[in-house]
Amino acid sequence: MKYLIGIDGGGTKTDSAIADLSGKIIHHTTGKPSNFLVVGIEEAVENIFALIEENLFKLEGDFADVKQIVIGVAGAGRKEDAQLLEKSFKDYSEEQGVHFKGIKVVSDAHIALEGAFPDSAGCILIAGTGSILFGKDDKGVIHRVGGFGRLIGDEGSGYSIGRKALNAVSKASDGRGEETLISELLNAKMNSGSTNGIINKIYKEKLDVASVAKIVISAAEEGDPIAEDILDEEADELVLHIKSLLNKIQINKFNVAFSGSLIDNNNFYSDILKRKIKSTLPNVTIVRPAAPPVSGAILFAKRIVNE
C-alpha cells in the first residue's frame, strides 16, 4: 500500500496524518514540536522523522511505501527557509538510510488554508506562537498578509502578547507602570517568587515568551485592565490583517476561519476578535475550518501526486 503523509509542525507540538492515495486518512498522531524557528533545524527534522517512523511502525508500513510527504511549518513561507528545511530533512533521512521519493515543505498557513477551504475562496487567520493570514480568492490565487516573524512582525500572536505582558510586569515592578494581575499569575506559574526570578528565566533559561499569552488571557478574564488593554490592542492588529487582505482581493463577501492555539477556541481574546470583526467588517463571515491543517497537508500531497 502506498501512503501520503501530512505534517503540521508547530512550536509546541507536531500533528501528522497518513492517508492512502485517495486522500483518506487512516492514521493520525501527535509528536514533539518541529517549528524550526523555535527548536532549530536539527531538532525539527529529527522530530518530524521520528513521528513518520512511529506512524509507519504502527501501520506495519515501510519507508518505501511513502509516495509523498508535505510538511507545513511556520517560517516556511519564505522560499529560502522552505528549501533549507527540505534539504535538511532529506539529508537527515539519507543518514538514517531512508530515501523518500517526494518531499515538499510549505508554510503552515498554506496547509491550514487548504484544510479550511479545499474547494472555495476564503482566508485562514492563524494566531499561535506567531501570526499570519493566508487567503485564496475565487480564482484560487493565494495572498499572504503578515508572518514577518517575532522581531519585526507577528502582531496579535502569542509572542507579541507575551512580550507586552512581560514589559508591563517589569514596569509595574519598579513603579513605572500600574500593578497587574499578570505579575501574580506569572510568578505562580513560573514558581519564580519575584520579577528578578522571571528575568532570569527569560534571559538565562530561555522562557517561552509566547506561553505567557495564556496567562494574559486568564488575567483578562479576571478583569485585569492591563491584560484587557493588551488583548484589545493585539486583536486590532489581527483585524488589520483581514482589512489588508480585503484591499488586495476586492471581494464583496468573504469567509474567515481561525487557527492557532490562541483563537481557535472560545476565550477572552477570541471573543474580542470576533466582536471586532463583526462590528467593523460586515462583509466578513467567521466560519469553522472544513478540516484541520494536517488534512490540508494531505490534500496538498494528493494534488502533487496527481499532477
Side-chain angles (χ1 to χ4, degrees):
M1 184 176 185
K2 299 298 182 182
Y3 299 111
L4 304 174
I5 294 182
I7 299 290
D8 175 24
T12 56
K13 64 183 177 68
T14 298
D15 287 331
S16 70
I18 293 187
D20 60 24
L21 294 187
S22 73
K24 180 182 177 182
I25 294 177
I26 53 181
H27 185 68
H28 176 274
T29 191
T30 300
K32 295 179 180 179
S34 56
N35 180 336
F36 66 94
L37 299 177
V38 176
V39 301
I41 288 280
E42 184 176 339
E43 186 173 340
V45 298
E46 289 177 1
N47 290 345
I48 292 170
F49 185 89
L51 196 53
I52 292 172
E53 185 176 39
E54 177 186 341
N55 287 339
L56 289 171
F57 178 79
K58 290 180 180 178
L59 291 175
E60 298 183 352
D62 189 87
F63 289 114
D65 297 327
V66 178
K67 186 77 171 178
Q68 180 68 47
I69 301 171
V70 167
I71 301 170
V73 63
R78 292 172 285 276
K79 185 178 180 180
E80 297 81 6
D81 289 336
Q83 290 175 339
L84 175 60
L85 182 60
E86 190 171 308
K87 182 180 185 302
S88 298
F89 183 75
K90 286 179 180 178
D91 290 346
Y92 181 80
S93 299
E94 296 284 351
E95 290 173 4
Q96 308 308 308
V98 177
H99 176 70
F100 288 117
K101 297 176 183 177
I103 302 170
K104 180 70 173 178
V105 175
V106 297
S107 166
D108 60 339
H110 201 157
I111 62 169
L113 179 64
E114 291 296 330
F117 302 101
D119 303 306
S120 63
C123 65
I124 187 83
L125 178 62
I126 301 177
T129 300
S131 67
I132 193 170
L133 177 72
F134 259 49
K136 180 169 59 173
D137 62 25
D138 52 12
K139 294 180 181 178
V141 178
I142 305 297
H143 303 269
R144 166 186 163 170
V145 176
F148 292 103
R150 64 183 183 271
L151 295 182
I152 61 172
D154 279 354
E155 300 88 349
S157 71
Y159 189 92
S160 185
I161 293 170
R163 185 186 179 283
K164 284 188 176 181
L166 292 169
N167 180 250
V169 167
S170 66
K171 285 184 174 181
S173 70
D174 59 13
R176 289 179 294 133
E178 297 178 18
E179 290 296 325
T180 170
L181 180 60
I182 299 172
S183 302
E184 181 182 331
L185 296 179
L186 191 59
N187 283 331
K189 175 80 173 179
M190 301 293 131
N191 194 27
S192 58
S194 67
T195 302
N196 285 335
I198 293 173
I199 291 172
N200 286 333
K201 288 183 179 294
I202 294 170
Y203 292 105
K204 294 183 179 180
E205 300 178 26
K206 296 183 179 180
L207 171 70
D208 179 9
V209 173
S211 68
V212 177
K214 292 186 177 180
I215 293 174
V216 179
I217 292 173
S218 295
E221 289 171 345
E222 293 291 329
D224 181 75
I226 300 296
E228 289 179 0
D229 286 347
I230 291 172
L231 297 181
D232 189 72
E233 292 172 1
E234 295 300 295
D236 281 338
E237 292 287 353
L238 294 181
V239 172
L240 186 58
H241 280 61
I242 302 174
K243 288 180 178 178
S244 177
L245 179 70
L246 292 176
N247 289 334
K248 291 174 183 285
I249 62 178
Q250 297 293 316
I251 195 167
N252 291 327
K253 296 289 184 180
F254 207 56
N255 291 332
V256 58
F258 293 169
S259 182
S261 58
L262 293 183
I263 60 174
D264 67 357
N265 56 79
N266 293 323
N267 59 58
F268 192 95
Y269 187 43
S270 63
D271 287 346
I272 289 177
L273 178 59
K274 290 171 186 174
R275 288 198 299 271
K276 287 180 179 291
I277 291 173
K278 290 176 181 177
S279 64
T280 63
L281 298 171
N283 58 333
V284 172
T285 302
I286 301 169
V287 300
R288 295 291 302 172
V294 73
S295 296
I298 292 294
L299 290 173
F300 206 120
K302 180 183 175 183
R303 187 179 305 120
I304 292 173
V305 169
N306 292 337
E307 286 178 348

